[in-house]
């Protein structure tokens, strides 16, 4: 794969936060995804390309409606649930707080990207078939070129991860390994 232009490419990492990284995940642990994401983010920072860290919180009462067949979570999460895991955020990174699965709905992510001239986003994070997939769909609908760093993603089950990677992502993105993402 040819190198990406660092002036028009951004890395967007989804939900690498205390309350999500420590969950029981597959096909990779949260720690494995964080390590891969850190390496990828270092490459973007070295090329002066934007690194955008997205995290979710419902502590302010802005949780999506729960009148669904399988509600997500119950009760009050720990105080540090939505904080980014140690070592992910560096000076100069952009942090976006979301209140839904996807990083575009109700945030200024599209404005942040467009004002920087970004045309391509490289995505990773947790969970593949929730936050990452929702963000990828919206990015594609907004006209961005989407690249999924598959080894920088994981989900609640390996089957859920694989379904998104094999069935959804090829229709809206390119699916690569993080080592294949170079900037030049």
């Amino acid at each position: 794969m040819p190198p990406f232009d660092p002036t028009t490419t951004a890395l967007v990492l989804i939900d690498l936060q205390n309350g999500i990284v420590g969950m029981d995940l597959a096909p990779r642990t949260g720690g494995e995804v964080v390590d891969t994401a850190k390496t990828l983010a270092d490459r973007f920072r070295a090329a002066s390309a934007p690194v955008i860290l997205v995290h979710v919180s419902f502590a302010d009462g802005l949780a999506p409606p729960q009148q669904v067949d399988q509600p997500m979570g119950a009760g009050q999460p720990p105080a540090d649930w939505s904080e980014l895991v140690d070592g992910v955020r560096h000076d100069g990174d952009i942090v976006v707080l979301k209140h839904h699965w996807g990083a575009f709905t109700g945030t200024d992510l599209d404005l942040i990207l467009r004002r920087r001239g970004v045309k391509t986003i490289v995505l990773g994070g947790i969970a593949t078939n929730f936050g990452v997939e929702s963000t990828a769909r919206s990015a594609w609908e907004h006209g961005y070129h989407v690249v999924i760093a598959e080894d920088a993603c994981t989900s609640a089950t390996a089957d859920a991860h694989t379904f998104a990677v094999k069935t959804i992502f090829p229709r809206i993105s390119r699916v690569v390994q993080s080592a294949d993402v170079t900037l030049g």
Side-chain angles (χ1 to χ4, degrees):
M1 168 173 292
F4 291 97
D5 179 351
T7 66
T8 61
T9 305
L11 176 64
V12 179
L13 297 171
I14 305 295
D15 297 342
L16 300 182
Q17 61 191 67
N18 292 331
I20 294 177
V21 168
M23 296 170 65
D24 187 19
L25 302 166
R28 294 170 192 88
T29 67
E32 290 170 326
V33 168
V34 168
D35 289 345
T36 301
K38 284 180 180 180
T39 300
L40 195 53
D42 286 344
R43 259 186 268 148
F44 273 72
R45 292 179 192 112
S48 297
V51 173
I52 301 170
L53 306 168
V54 180
H55 64 127
V56 64
S57 177
F58 307 120
D60 53 8
L62 295 177
Q66 292 294 308
Q67 291 78 28
V68 297
D69 290 337
Q70 293 182 7
M72 301 282 291
Q76 188 70 7
D80 69 344
W81 189 87
S82 67
E83 291 177 20
L84 296 166
V85 297
D86 287 340
V88 170
R89 184 178 184 178
H90 287 222
D91 288 343
D93 291 349
I94 300 159
V95 178
V96 173
L97 176 64
K98 65 184 176 97
H99 302 285
H100 295 278
W101 286 353
F104 283 91
T105 302
T107 73
D108 57 357
L109 179 59
D110 186 48
L111 179 65
I112 289 167
L113 295 168
R114 291 193 191 283
R115 291 228 172 131
R116 285 168 175 76
V118 171
K119 295 179 176 150
T120 301
I121 64 168
V122 177
L123 276 172
I126 305 169
T128 310
N129 60 310
F130 292 110
V132 176
E133 182 178 327
S134 184
T135 301
R137 286 175 184 251
S138 289
W140 179 73
E141 291 167 353
H142 279 82
Y144 293 98
H145 302 289
V146 181
V147 178
I148 306 294
E150 185 274 334
D151 59 331
C153 299
T154 195
S155 192
T157 68
D159 287 344
H161 172 85
T162 300
F163 180 82
V165 168
K166 299 288 184 189
T167 308
I168 305 300
F169 291 160
R171 296 190 172 272
I172 60 174
S173 70
R174 290 178 283 166
V175 180
V176 301
Q177 296 302 296
S178 61
D180 298 326
V181 176
T182 58
L183 296 118

